[in-house]
Amino acid sequence: MQYAPEPVPTASYVSSTVELGDLKRILVRRRFLILATAALLTLATLAYGLLTPALYSSVAEIIIDPQDLQVVTNDVNPSRVPPDGGITMVESQVSVVQSTGVLLKAIQATNLTEDPEFNGQGGLVSRLLGGVLGSGAAETDSTGKTLDALRRRLAVKRADKVLVLDVIVTAKSADKAAKLAQAVAEAYLADQASARAKMATDASDSITARLDEQRKRVQQAENAVEAYKSANNMVMAAGNLVSDQELTEINTQLSAAQSRTATLKAQVDQLRRSGGAPDATSEAMRSSVISSLRAQEATLVDQVSQLGTELGPRHPSMIAAQQQLRDTRALIARELGRIGAAAETDYERALANQQALEAKVAGMKSKSLDTDQASVKLRELQRDLEAVRSVYATYLQRAQETREQINVDSTNARIISNAMPALKKSWPPLPLLLFGALFGGLGLGTALALIAEYSSPTVLSSAQMQSAIDAPVFGVLPAKSARRRWWPFGAATVAGQKTDAVAGLALRRLFASSRRPPNWPLVPSILLTSPPEDAAHRGRVARLLANAAAARGSRVLFIDTNAGSGKKEPLPGLLDVLRGEYAFEALSQYTAGSNVAVLGRGRQTAVFSEAQGVYFTQHMLAQAGRNFDLVVVDGGALADNLNASPLVAMVDEIVMVATLNSTPMRDVTAASQAISVMGRLPTGALLVDEAA
């Protein structure tokens, strides 16, 4: 006896991932989880918004100019603008505003440690814990708690491309928020002024401390210069050596003496060259005595000449006038001789003076050579002295400048907008929170739905089912057919015609893909199986296939391996035929008004061997070929229905039924493995869509 050949899969289906349509099915199927999550989160947010005390925020704006006010030239705080326009410097001031020192000043200015909202004593739990645990270091704890609370309520921000800091403080009272924001801004300005004054004070103290050392260095350098001059007998006057001054003066005198000697020598030489006419010299011409005598001589010459004409040569007046003329010319000669002798004397005296000065200069020059050798070291000591004096003067001037800068505020930061009480609360923004909670809840619910789906994946699509069983899906049937009378078998109503059309198309595809050998003696047969939870859909699909075939004129034998299992005394059926106790023709009965004959499960009074079951199954299908065109078997869940294993071995097609978005993939895998254990593989699948 031959068994029906096992169909070979015609294609290998690639593993499918979740598609957009599958995601939609997941969300629709788990919509209650998504909506419940969104509603729960929205209600929680609403309760939070209604129960949370309102908070108000106030803003104080501070503008910071990177280029500080330059009160003095050598300022302790540089005013150069960095290459980035001061953005980095202003960003660093954000941390300064939030620093502990600034906040402590603001706390002290506003007496914030006494405010229950900030000192940690406002809540009932805090008071109870304080009473149980004790106060401890109460003041320190209160300051620390106040500082932490203020830091949590403080925000310092800088808008893009501006040098303005926004100091934002949030409190339960609008007036308190404005007061604290203003106090923090003023504390920042005071801290900056104090920091700059401290920098100037530290710089002044540091420079002043160095002044004594610089003064001692100056004294040491001066003492070294004076000691060296004393050791080398170097007397200074007006900053120069006395010997150098004397040498300079004598050189000047020598130059003057040499010039005078040269002049006198020129006069003597001129007198010597004049010979008998010394009155032609320039000295004679410049002499007043000579000039007077020359005038008398000219007068006497005129008188002699007149008397000679009038009186004659022997007249006494003529003789007297001539005698006076001779006396006058003798006086002129004696005066000219005296001038020549005086010139000679002056020349000799000037020459002697020049020679004396030259001797003295020569002596002082030999002495100056020794002094110059000592002056080299002296000049080095003097240069050191000048350098030390310069440093000392610089330190002294800088110390005075830094002392003056202590009381000068060069910070170019100011409050451009004082904090004002807010008109509207800043927290909680109930509409925004509800909006966020609604969409956040939808997102969270969607995430939970996807997590729940992928923790226990179900059949999402035909492609996923094909990948799981490595066989084609012949169709997707709606889960319901509006009031269609599908049992007992009969004609379809108008409302069920669409479902019957889908079932008929699936039946056509099923046999179009079949590899049934030609002239095979057994009747064409289909066995439908499913996981246990899809029993209702499996039975309905089996009847739909049988009814679709009958509607097209085929005679159908419908074998229900589950019918009659709940009765105390079931009627004879399939199990009785497989044991050989009843003939197949005696048990199959047509349903009134249809072409479908039904064979129930039968009595399970005794077991039968698998070989016996296979034999009678083949015999039954061979006999059914005489009276029927198709056998449809509702094989139940094969993992729990081992009595159907003979049918599995002999039927042509084994179709698995599953429900979209409901049947777990692990149950599909278990059903496929049960079929493979019985020696076959699924040849296809039919899916049921509950959403259709």
Side-chain angles (χ1 to χ4, degrees):
M1 301 179 65
Q2 297 181 353
Y3 301 147
E6 177 182 349
V8 179
T10 59
S12 179
Y13 297 91
V14 181
S15 178
S16 175
T17 58
V18 178
E19 299 175 353
L20 185 60
D22 303 334
L23 181 62
K24 177 182 177 181
R25 294 188 187 94
I26 294 174
L27 298 181
V28 171
R29 178 169 170 262
R30 300 186 182 271
R31 59 186 178 278
F32 296 109
L33 174 61
I34 298 173
L35 296 177
T37 303
L40 182 62
L41 190 58
T42 303
L43 291 176
T45 304
L46 179 62
Y48 170 79
L50 295 177
L51 298 177
T52 301
L55 297 177
Y56 299 87
S57 297
S58 291
V59 182
E61 295 182 346
I62 303 173
I63 186 170
I64 300 175
D65 191 346
Q67 187 169 358
D68 297 333
L69 296 175
Q70 190 171 359
V71 182
V72 294
T73 305
N74 295 325
D75 201 342
V76 174
N77 303 288
S79 59
R80 294 186 300 270
V81 179
D84 60 354
I87 296 298
T88 304
M89 187 271 289
V90 177
E91 282 290 346
S92 65
Q93 297 305 305
V94 173
S95 299
V96 175
V97 176
Q98 303 178 74
S99 63
T100 301
V102 173
L103 297 185
L104 287 178
K105 288 181 181 179
I107 291 172
Q108 184 178 4
T110 57
N111 198 21
L112 199 60
T113 54
E114 303 298 328
D115 192 339
E117 182 182 352
F118 287 88
N119 62 10
Q121 299 178 1
L124 178 61
V125 176
S126 300
R127 291 197 297 269
L128 292 177
L129 291 177
V132 173
L133 301 178
S135 60
E139 184 176 357
T140 303
D141 292 345
S142 177
T143 302
K145 291 178 181 178
T146 304
L147 180 62
D148 292 340
L150 179 59
R151 186 170 279 121
R152 289 194 299 269
R153 299 289 185 89
L154 173 67
V156 182
K157 300 178 180 179
R158 183 190 68 83
D160 190 21
K161 298 182 180 179
V162 297
L163 303 178
V164 177
L165 298 182
D166 295 336
V167 181
I168 307 171
V169 177
T170 304
K172 294 181 180 179
S173 169
D175 294 334
K176 185 188 299 183
K179 180 180 178 183
L180 290 177
Q182 188 71 19
V184 172
E186 293 175 354
Y188 165 73
L189 296 182
D191 178 78
Q192 290 298 293
S194 175
R196 290 173 179 268
K198 186 177 184 304
M199 290 174 61
T201 302
D202 293 342
S204 178
D205 294 343
S206 177
I207 294 173
T208 303
R210 295 279 296 171
L211 279 177
D212 292 337
E213 181 181 350
Q214 296 299 326
R215 188 181 297 110
K216 291 179 181 179
R217 292 181 61 186
V218 171
Q219 292 175 354
Q220 291 174 358
E222 290 176 344
N223 293 334
V225 171
E226 295 300 328
Y228 186 81
K229 290 192 296 184
S230 177
N232 292 273
N233 195 21
M234 302 173 70
V235 181
M236 305 291 291
N240 296 316
L241 291 172
V242 174
S243 60
D244 292 342
Q245 294 179 0
E246 290 179 351
L247 181 59
T248 302
E249 292 177 357
I250 292 174
N251 278 326
T252 303
Q253 294 175 5
L254 178 60
S255 297
Q258 289 175 345
S259 177
R260 178 172 174 75
T261 302
T263 302
L264 292 175
K265 186 177 184 304
Q267 292 178 359
V268 171
D269 291 343
Q270 185 179 8
L271 289 173
R272 290 174 180 175
R273 286 193 304 270
S274 63
D279 55 343
T281 61
S282 59
E283 286 77 8
M285 299 296 291
R286 289 194 299 268
S287 175
S288 60
V289 176
I290 295 297
S291 297
S292 177
L293 293 175
R294 291 288 186 191
Q296 290 179 10
E297 181 184 10
T299 302
L300 289 174
V301 169
D302 290 338
Q303 187 177 0
V304 169
S305 192
Q306 184 178 2
L307 290 176
T309 303
E310 294 177 356
L311 299 180
R314 293 189 177 273
H315 191 277
S317 298
M318 180 64 178
I319 295 172
Q322 290 178 346
Q323 185 62 37
Q324 289 179 355
L325 180 61
R326 287 192 293 269
D327 292 339
T328 300
R329 287 177 176 174
L331 289 174
I332 292 173
R334 285 197 298 270
E335 184 64 25
L336 289 174
R338 190 186 62 79
I339 291 174
E344 291 284 349
T345 303
D346 290 340
Y347 170 68
E348 292 175 357
R349 190 183 297 120
L351 183 58
N353 184 41
Q354 175 184 343
Q355 292 173 351
L357 290 174
E358 288 176 349
K360 190 175 181 178
V361 168
M364 294 189 69
K365 283 184 176 180
S366 63
K367 184 179 178 180
S368 179
L369 292 176
D370 298 333
T371 304
D372 289 341
Q373 296 295 327
S375 297
V376 175
K377 179 65 175 178
L378 178 61
R379 284 192 294 271
E380 182 179 356
L381 293 175
Q382 287 176 338
R383 284 194 297 270
D384 292 342
L385 175 60
E386 292 300 325
V388 173
R389 281 177 177 171
S390 177
V391 173
Y392 174 69
T394 302
Y395 267 77
L396 189 61
Q397 180 183 2
R398 190 60 174 156
Q400 184 64 29
E401 289 178 351
T402 52
R403 279 195 296 269
E404 293 299 327
Q405 292 180 35
I406 294 175
N407 299 322
V408 176
D409 184 10
S410 62
T411 305
N412 197 11
R414 60 189 177 90
I415 299 175
I416 60 174
S417 178
N418 293 322
M420 302 292 293
L423 300 179
K424 297 181 180 180
K425 64 180 181 179
S426 60
W427 189 265
L430 190 57
L432 182 61
L433 290 179
L434 291 178
F435 183 80
L438 177 61
F439 285 93
L442 292 175
L444 179 61
T446 301
L448 294 176
L450 294 176
I451 291 173
E453 180 67 29
Y454 286 105
S455 62
S456 179
T458 60
V459 178
L460 298 177
S461 63
S462 299
Q464 195 176 27
M465 187 66 178
Q466 290 174 167
S467 175
I469 65 174
D470 200 16
V473 174
F474 297 115
V476 180
L477 299 169
K480 299 179 180 178
S481 346
R483 298 183 180 179
R484 184 179 182 279
R485 185 173 57 85
W486 53 269
W487 182 262
F489 295 96
T493 62
V494 175
Q497 288 180 356
K498 181 178 179 180
T499 303
D500 287 342
V502 175
L505 183 59
L507 191 64
R508 180 181 291 273
R509 290 175 178 172
L510 183 65
F511 282 103
S513 62
S514 175
R515 293 199 175 190
R516 177 182 173 87
N519 301 323
W520 185 251
L522 304 183
V523 67
S525 55
I526 304 172
L527 184 141
L528 288 89
T529 184
S530 71
E533 61 269 17
D534 293 322
H537 290 308
R538 183 195 65 242
R540 177 174 172 272
V541 170
R543 290 173 175 80
L544 284 174
L545 292 179
N547 199 60
R552 287 161 178 76
S554 299
R555 295 169 298 170
V556 181
L557 172 63
F558 182 79
I559 301 177
D560 188 357
T561 61
N562 301 300
S565 59
K567 299 180 181 179
K568 295 182 179 179
E569 295 183 0
L571 298 175
L574 175 64
L575 297 180
D576 299 285
V577 173
L578 296 182
R579 288 194 297 268
E581 297 177 358
Y582 284 87
F584 162 70
E585 293 84 353
L587 299 179
S588 60
Q589 300 178 357
Y590 276 97
T591 302
S594 71
N595 293 332
V596 180
V598 180
L599 179 63
R601 178 179 183 181
R603 299 174 298 175
Q604 193 173 0
T605 57
V607 298
F608 53 87
S609 64
E610 184 174 359
Q612 179 185 3
V614 170
Y615 171 77
F616 284 109
T617 298
Q618 186 179 20
H619 184 68
M620 177 185 68
L621 294 177
Q623 291 180 343
R626 302 189 187 98
N627 301 318
F628 298 98
D629 300 314
L630 176 65
V631 174
V632 179
V633 182
D634 181 0
L638 294 182
D640 301 331
N641 189 10
L642 297 179
N643 292 327
S645 59
L647 294 173
V648 172
M650 298 306 300
V651 295
D652 297 323
E653 305 291 339
I654 300 176
V655 179
M656 186 175 295
V657 178
T659 306
L660 286 174
N661 300 319
S662 178
T663 304
M665 289 299 297
R666 61 175 180 272
D667 292 345
V668 172
T669 303
S672 179
Q673 290 175 351
I675 297 173
S676 63
V677 168
M678 296 179 183
R680 295 289 299 277
L681 292 175
T683 58
L686 285 170
L687 300 181
V688 178
D689 189 359
E690 293 182 336

